[in-house]
Each structure stands twice: as structure tokens, then as C-alpha cells.
Amino acid sequence: ELRIRVLKAIASFGMVSDFQLYERFVDSASWEERLMMAKILRFVKEEVSYQNLQRLMADSNWQVRKQAALSLLNMPNGRVILQQIIDSENDLYAADMAREVMKLG
């Protein structure tokens, strides 16, 4: 629970100094930690953020998928990535979420 609170604070602050310290939470067993990482990744201006958000788009939890899609939507080239997810349709849940978020944005 403490880790979730720390990640939530980082997500609300909107600044990440060293992403490598937090990257392991992308694969966390806790969906809440993965959700917070989907929020945090929108502030990381590295190629690794796009890769991790794409992985989170395939998450088993719909809230994590939605936040990953919203984060992508607000990033440069994010719309292109969401469209690629829709077009590939390897993961129907990810494609559906990408479509839903693209309609919102």
C-alpha cells in the first residue's frame, strides 16, 4: 500500500527524475501499481515509455488499459500508436480500448 501511495504522489507531481527506478512496477502483480505506472509514463519522455504503455494496453485490468490509452493519447505520436493498436487487432481488448479513447480525444 505504501508503494501505491508513493507512485500516486509521483503521478500527481508529474515529474520523474530516473525512470529506471520505477520501471519494475510496470510488471507488478498489483494492478494498482500498474495503473499508477500508466499515469506516470505520460511524463517520461523516452522511447521506453511508449513501449511500456503499449504493454500496459494489453493488461488484464481494464482500468490499467484505459489509463495507458489516455496517457498515450496525450503524448506526441500517441495517436499513431493507438491507431496501430487498433489496426493490428492482435489484442481485441486493447484495440477496443484504443478505439474508445480515440473517440473521447
Side-chain angles (χ1 to χ4, degrees):
E1 187 174 326
L2 180 61
R3 290 192 311 217
I4 295 169
R5 288 183 185 183
V6 168
L7 292 171
K8 191 173 189 176
I10 292 167
S12 66
F13 184 62
M15 191 171 175
V16 179
S17 59
D18 185 7
F19 176 68
Q20 290 180 343
L21 297 172
Y22 310 102
E23 190 170 17
R24 65 186 174 108
F25 294 110
V26 171
D27 297 315
S28 172
S30 167
W31 71 268
E32 293 97 340
E33 290 178 1
R34 295 191 311 273
L35 175 67
M36 290 299 111
M37 285 307 300
K39 288 182 179 187
I40 289 170
L41 283 165
R42 68 184 170 194
F43 303 114
V44 178
K45 303 298 181 204
E46 299 174 18
E47 186 63 31
V48 70
S49 65
Y50 291 105
Q51 295 166 357
N52 284 312
L53 285 169
Q54 286 177 306
R55 283 181 34 217
L56 290 172
M57 284 290 299
D59 197 87
S60 60
N61 184 284
W62 73 270
Q63 292 172 312
V64 175
R65 287 193 306 271
K66 184 165 188 173
Q67 183 58 56
L70 289 169
S71 292
L72 279 168
L73 186 65
N74 293 311
M75 296 176 73
N77 300 322
R79 286 182 176 273
V80 172
I81 293 171
L82 287 172
Q83 190 61 52
Q84 289 171 350
I85 291 169
I86 292 168
D87 293 341
S88 72
E89 293 198 30
N90 290 333
D91 182 343
L92 294 180
Y93 293 117
D96 286 343
M97 187 59 71
R99 272 189 213 92
E100 179 182 326
V101 169
M102 291 280 279
K103 286 179 188 175
L104 294 174

